[in-house]
Amino acid sequence: MPLTPDQSALVRGTVSFLRTHGETIASRFYASLLRAHPDLNNLFNSANQANGRQPRALVSVILAYAASPAHTYELIPRLERVCNKHCSLGITPDQYDLVGKYLLEAFGEVLGEKWTPSLRGAWENAYKVLANMLIGREAQLYSKFGSWKGFRFFRIEQKICEADDFYSFHLSPSDRKPLPSFSPGQYVSLRIDVPSIGYLQSRQYALSECPRKDYYRISVKRDRGIQANQGIEAFHLKPGLVSNLLIDKYEVGDLVSLSHPAGGFQFDVDVCGTGPIVFISAGAGATTLLSILNNVVEREDDRPLSWIHCSSRKAPFEEHVRCLARARDNFTIRLFQSQLADLEYRCGSAHGEGLKMDFQKLERKTLHLDHGATEYYICGPEAFTKDMSASLLGQGVDRARVKYEWFTTGELQLAA
Ligand SMILES: Cc1cc2nc3c(=O)[nH]c(=O)nc-3n(C[C@H](O)[C@H](O)[C@H](O)COP(=O)(O)OP(=O)(O)OC[C@H]3O[C@@H](n4cnc5c(N)ncnc54)[C@H](O)[C@@H]3O)c2cc1C
Ligand code: HEM
């Protein structure tokens, strides 16, 4: 049922409280949900809970909704990433009631006396409206998944070292049935058992090759974490759980579970553009863009191309990209290497000045800035993606031509 004007006003009235206490509410909500339903630890990313990213991501959407509950259409583009992530993880409509129960209880606990019956009624209705929007879009996405529901076993057919700490896995379905196609740029969720925490864990990995009928390829970068001796005291991050397990313990013949390809960052293979394409990536971000690059080359599209990548060590896929470039006369490669690339962008852009300046030194012709139809595809850590998009927009590139994906949870807010 749509919100009444009174209910809208009550929901809007909680916005300033949510700005201050939203993360407390979200953290309490996840803690009580996971305490009461420990099996859901198999679904949620333990690192995003521990570092607060997931509670922050949830609050950001709820705040956007609460600020304007009567204009839900404005929210639709922001929900696309959430719905794709949900479908990739197999979230079902019945789980929305469970989440709503614990979320509204957490509202009540934190709001205390302010949680009057009428405010509670307004938020119950508001949650239903928001949940129904998500459920509706997720039903549409699931219908495109066909008979592939949930996770499916895949066998590791090949494990290839692409660069230091960077491995590709060729994965074939155990049931040997043909694989659905996907749009270059999309990802799968890969799920494995993580003995150190006693739960299954899923992580998203971009499909790094063009669509093939019999295997998917993902390419995984080891997350070493950040050690105290690397000089940035505020960041002592643990090594990543899933990437390290995959690289150290998973070999040819082992099984992993994958979900159907998903993700709204897609290269539209049906649109035949003619302008140049500039790919800009850092670290593992090259994986997403490689799938697009391979697709463009495989269909013999002769658009001018630039491949710009920065990483802390040797660039992954360097030989492959150089080999593609040798076969064309309109392909430019620029590789930046900085020992600090990883660290800088994990700690925020303030430390990324070196790379930012390198980027600003790139020739206009490498970036095809003078061509009004150049398309830019950017992928990497959140701060990198923000910096590079801002730099392009600052040089007069139209926002609609800058497409970006980032490898962390939550929304990426570009400068206005
Ligand atoms: C759409 C998408 C596509 C992606 N594609 C790729 C890809 O193609 N290749 C690729 O390599 N990666 C990709 N990623 C990233 C990937 O999903 C994982 O996030 C990455 O492999 C790290 O996972 P992990 O389990 O190893 O690390 P996690 O265990 O998830 O840890 C992640 C980070 O959180 C930190 N952390 C853990 N606990 C805490 C704590 N208590 N406090 C503070 N920080 C903490 C860790 O130190 C680590 O730096 C993609 C992500 C997305 C969203
Ligand atoms: C109105 C209800 C909901 C809202 C507003 C919401 C919002 C979000 C947001 C913003 C994200 C982060 C997306 C990203 O940037 O990657 C997310 C991820 C996720 N959501 Fe929801 N969600 C809702 C309901 C649910 C339900 C019902 C479930 C099922 C239990 C669920 C499980 C998850 C999981 C497992 C993730 C990924 C977490 C991670 O990777 O850390 N959500 N959701």
Side-chain angles (χ1 to χ4, degrees):
M1 197 206 302
L3 268 73
T4 64
D6 284 353
Q7 287 179 326
S8 273
L10 281 168
V11 167
R12 276 200 314 274
T14 42
V15 167
S16 71
F17 186 88
L18 278 179
R19 286 218 172 90
T20 317
H21 301 285
E23 277 185 43
T24 311
I25 294 177
S27 302
R28 280 192 183 218
F29 148 67
Y30 281 117
S32 54
L33 175 75
L34 294 173
R35 209 170 28 247
H37 296 274
D39 53 307
L40 288 179
N41 283 296
N42 291 308
L43 184 60
F44 283 96
N45 175 322
S46 66
N48 287 338
Q49 290 295 325
N51 61 27
R53 280 188 172 277
Q54 179 57 24
R56 278 198 293 283
L58 182 76
V59 169
S60 158
V61 170
I62 291 180
L63 256 173
Y65 171 59
S68 198
H71 298 107
T72 44
Y73 57 89
E74 287 171 7
L75 209 57
I76 291 171
R78 300 180 70 166
L79 296 184
E80 197 56 19
R81 182 176 172 91
V82 181
C83 293
N84 272 282
K85 180 72 82 66
H86 280 174
C87 289
S88 171
L89 290 163
I91 305 302
T92 50
D94 55 298
Q95 289 173 321
Y96 278 86
D97 290 341
L98 194 68
V99 161
K101 172 178 179 303
Y102 286 94
L103 184 62
L104 295 184
E105 274 179 20
F107 266 77
E109 280 170 28
V110 178
L111 275 150
E113 286 176 357
K114 293 187 197 123
W115 192 235
T116 58
S118 50
L119 183 59
R120 184 197 163 115
W123 263 107
E124 275 173 357
N125 202 12
Y127 176 80
K128 267 190 212 139
V129 172
L130 181 59
N132 283 338
M133 284 176 73
L134 289 157
I135 292 170
R137 177 63 184 139
E138 284 159 25
Q140 287 177 337
L141 292 172
Y142 279 134
S143 71
K144 293 188 193 148
F145 289 10
S147 60
W148 183 347
K149 306 264 182 273
F151 283 86
R152 182 169 165 189
F153 280 118
F154 279 67
R155 182 180 185 275
I156 300 174
E157 299 293 345
Q158 286 187 54
K159 178 179 176 185
I160 298 163
C161 180
E162 302 286 0
D164 285 349
D165 282 349
F166 213 107
Y167 286 78
S168 286
F169 294 85
H170 288 222
L171 306 166
S172 296
S174 299
D175 58 21
R176 299 273 160 207
K177 290 187 182 150
L179 289 170
S181 191
F182 59 88
S183 298
Q186 289 195 298
Y187 60 80
V188 288
S189 285
L190 174 146
R191 190 173 73 184
I192 55 171
D193 186 21
V194 179
S196 62
I197 60 166
Y199 290 108
L200 299 170
Q201 285 286 285
S202 304
R203 298 291 182 266
Q204 289 65 49
Y205 291 103
L207 292 156
S208 60
E209 180 52 289
C210 293
R212 303 275 181 242
K213 284 259 174 295
D214 53 344
Y215 74 92
Y216 286 151
R217 184 179 76 171
I218 59 163
S219 304
V220 180
K221 179 174 174 292
R222 186 192 290 281
D223 186 334
R224 286 186 174 275
I226 297 177
Q227 307 303 319
N229 64 9
Q230 284 179 276
I232 297 181
E233 284 174 16
F235 288 82
H236 304 293
L237 300 185
K238 297 179 193 165
L241 290 174
V242 173
S243 60
N244 283 282
L245 261 181
L246 279 174
I247 290 174
D248 294 334
K249 304 280 186 220
Y250 278 72
E251 300 300 338
V252 170
D254 289 339
L255 297 181
V256 296
S257 301
L258 295 192
S259 63
H260 192 284
F265 176 80
Q266 300 174 14
F267 177 71
D268 192 342
V269 290
D270 297 323
V271 174
C272 297
T274 51
I277 307 181
V278 178
F279 300 97
I280 305 169
S281 60
T287 53
T288 304
L289 304 191
L290 190 69
S291 172
I292 301 178
L293 171 68
N294 284 349
N295 188 278
V296 172
V297 170
E298 205 161 275
R299 60 193 214 169
E300 296 179 1
D301 194 326
D302 63 0
R303 302 167 70 173
L305 304 172
S306 291
W307 179 263
I308 302 162
H309 177 79
C310 55
S311 52
S312 52
R313 297 162 179 228
K314 183 180 173 335
F317 313 116
E318 183 176 344
E319 285 75 27
H320 171 73
V321 176
R322 288 202 186 282
C323 179
L324 296 182
R326 277 194 293 275
R328 319 165 57 108
D329 54 10
N330 56 2
F331 193 143
T332 310
I333 300 176
R334 292 283 180 276
L335 301 178
F336 296 112
Q337 200 172 354
S338 155
Q339 285 300 327
L340 287 176
D342 242 10
L343 203 59
E344 285 167 345
Y345 279 109
R346 289 253 222 112
C347 302
S349 57
H351 295 272
E353 292 301 328
L355 283 175
K356 235 197 283 187
M357 278 160 59
D358 281 343
F359 185 75
Q360 277 155 10
K361 276 187 251 156
L362 278 172
E363 311 87 336
R364 287 184 71 79
K365 72 174 191 319
T366 301
L367 290 171
H368 294 282
L369 285 170
D370 297 320
H371 194 299
T374 306
E375 287 173 37
Y376 299 88
Y377 289 88
I378 308 178
C379 186
E382 190 177 340
F384 170 85
T385 308
K386 265 189 193 171
D387 280 354
M388 300 306 147
S389 316
S391 175
L392 289 172
L393 300 184
Q395 295 181 76
V397 175
D398 174 19
R399 189 175 280 244
R401 290 189 283 121
V402 182
K403 307 201 171 81
Y404 49 87
E405 172 71 294
W406 62 102
F407 281 0
T408 35
T409 291
E411 289 179 288
L412 186 86
Q413 303 287 356
L414 288 190

